[in-house]
Amino acid sequence: MFRYLDVLQRSIRLLSRRLNKGQKFSRRSSLFGARIIDGNKFAKDVRQEVKREIQEWIKEGHTVPQLTAVLIGNDPTSSTSIKDKMEAARDVGITSDVIRIPDSTTEMELLDIINSLNETPSVNGILLQHPLPRHVDERVICDTVHPDKDVDGFHMSNIGRLCLDKPNLIPATAYAVWELLHRSGSRMGVDATVTTCHQYTPANNLSEFTKAADILVVAVGSPCLVTADMIKDGAVVIDVGINRIWDSSQKHYKIVGDVDFEDVVKKASFISPVPGGVDPMTVAVLMKNTLQAAQIQVKKHRQDNVQ
């Protein structure tokens, strides 16, 4: 079965090799607590860069990039996420729309929608809002999106090209993690050894790996799993998790990550918050990928015409 976290973990491992050539890893003392990696600020920077690039793209005579999202069902979190992405698209100058379909949509019906978008020249980027319903095969669905329109970077071709050091569209969340590391100054080293822990890593051995990490990227889906005693002093911690939990003291739900922020912030050198860390940067990178998708399609169209 296709697993989103598997794609994320593998992509981060590959990006550590692909995107950090010639860079040195820097780690500051945690004596005065961690430096907060402001995902909102860095995402705003990326969006401004994309906006300028789109303006130049249009000046060159190209059409405005078009992003189409497919939202299945009425999950409130997914609806909010789609709204944020559409607002980001408008902000940078990308036209966008959302195809909303019910939970009862069959796999074949969803495949028909995707194939129609694949064949529509004006659509440059296709975004499938996850999670998808249990009755559809996520791997089949993601691999049906044309790899040149796959702004999430989930198509097996895009993962494979990244493995071969010839990226097409890079998985957005993993790319967002790298952008945060790069822009905050806490950069991965080119010769880093990347260790992946997952559901089969014995729980009593997990800390052995996390304590050895200079950079710890956590994407588990388990609220506040990582605590200060599980990291080394001065580690860089990137929290990808987004969990909705009940706050009994405030009598409402709140969003937390996979890292116990209040505990770990005292020991880490850099840390990304939740929300406001990886999540806004992922949206910004999706806009970046949409522009890149449009550029890839124009380039291939020209090559086809020459041939």
Side-chain angles (χ1 to χ4, degrees):
M1 180 182 292
F2 169 68
R3 290 176 55 83
Y4 170 80
L5 291 180
D6 286 345
V7 172
L8 173 61
Q9 291 165 351
R10 292 170 187 171
S11 300
I12 290 173
R13 183 169 68 247
L14 293 165
L15 279 172
S16 71
R17 179 192 69 197
R18 163 67 189 163
L19 294 175
N20 295 282
K21 294 179 178 179
Q23 295 181 358
K24 300 296 184 181
F25 169 74
S26 61
R27 180 159 58 91
R28 62 192 285 270
S29 169
S30 62
L31 181 62
F32 301 105
R35 180 181 298 172
I36 308 302
I37 299 176
D38 189 344
N40 287 314
K41 174 186 179 299
F42 293 130
K44 183 178 180 181
D45 293 341
V46 171
R47 283 163 63 160
Q48 286 299 316
E49 292 165 11
V50 173
K51 186 174 184 177
R52 287 193 294 269
E53 290 178 25
I54 289 175
Q55 290 170 345
E56 289 299 318
W57 176 252
I58 295 171
K59 285 180 182 178
E60 292 171 3
H62 302 292
T63 58
V64 177
Q66 162 72 30
L67 173 65
T68 296
V70 179
L71 175 61
I72 306 175
N74 299 307
D75 177 70
T77 302
S78 293
S79 296
T80 299
S81 179
I82 283 292
K83 180 181 177 182
D84 291 343
K85 291 165 185 173
M86 297 302 101
E87 287 179 355
R90 286 192 294 272
D91 178 55
V92 301
I94 291 172
T95 59
S96 62
D97 64 343
V98 182
I99 297 175
R100 301 175 186 273
I101 53 180
D103 277 324
S104 58
T105 301
T106 66
E107 182 172 301
M108 187 58 65
E109 289 171 335
L110 180 54
L111 291 174
D112 287 342
I113 291 171
I114 295 171
N115 282 320
S116 176
L117 294 173
N118 285 339
E119 296 168 5
T120 304
S122 61
V123 174
N124 302 116
I126 301 172
L127 172 66
L128 298 175
Q129 182 61 39
H130 291 259
L132 298 178
R134 293 181 179 274
H135 65 272
V136 303
D137 187 326
E138 281 192 284
R139 184 72 273 165
V140 171
I141 298 300
C142 289
D143 285 342
T144 300
V145 177
H146 193 290
D148 292 342
K149 297 189 177 188
D150 171 35
V151 294
D152 253 328
F154 285 165
H155 192 285
M156 66 171 66
S157 172
N158 286 325
I159 299 294
R161 288 180 65 91
L162 186 58
C163 291
L164 295 172
D165 205 20
K166 296 183 180 296
N168 189 46
L169 292 171
I170 297 173
T173 304
Y175 201 174
V177 170
W178 180 83
E179 283 284 1
L180 291 179
L181 290 168
H182 176 72
R183 291 172 185 265
S184 66
S186 50
R187 303 176 181 180
M188 294 183 185
V190 62
D191 296 320
T193 297
V194 181
T195 302
T196 302
C197 298
H198 44 62
Q199 61 181 325
Y200 299 112
T201 303
N204 57 343
N205 296 129
L206 184 60
S207 291
E208 296 177 20
F209 299 104
T210 58
K211 285 180 178 178
D214 291 311
I215 297 176
L216 182 64
V217 180
V218 189
V220 183
S222 180
C224 303
L225 172 70
V226 174
T227 52
D229 61 343
M230 295 175 66
I231 72 166
K232 70 161 58 174
D233 183 58
V236 177
V237 180
I238 303 294
D239 191 350
V240 183
I242 298 180
N243 307 284
R244 186 169 178 260
I245 64 171
W246 178 254
D247 186 338
S248 57
S249 63
Q250 299 296 322
K251 305 298 182 183
H252 61 66
Y253 284 97
K254 66 178 182 180
I255 301 297
V256 299
D258 292 343
V259 175
D260 187 338
F261 183 85
E262 297 302 328
D263 191 28
V264 173
V265 72
K266 304 168 187 174
K267 193 173 182 181
S269 60
F270 291 83
I271 187 170
S272 68
V274 176
V278 175
D279 46 321
M281 181 57 82
T282 300
V283 174
V285 168
L286 283 169
M287 302 306 111
K288 191 172 184 177
N289 275 357
T290 301
L291 172 58
Q292 185 179 350
Q295 293 168 335
I296 290 170
Q297 290 156 42
V298 167
K299 181 179 179 180
K300 289 191 175 181
H301 180 69
R302 286 175 176 170
Q303 291 173 342
D304 290 342
N305 287 340
V306 170
Q307 295 173 357

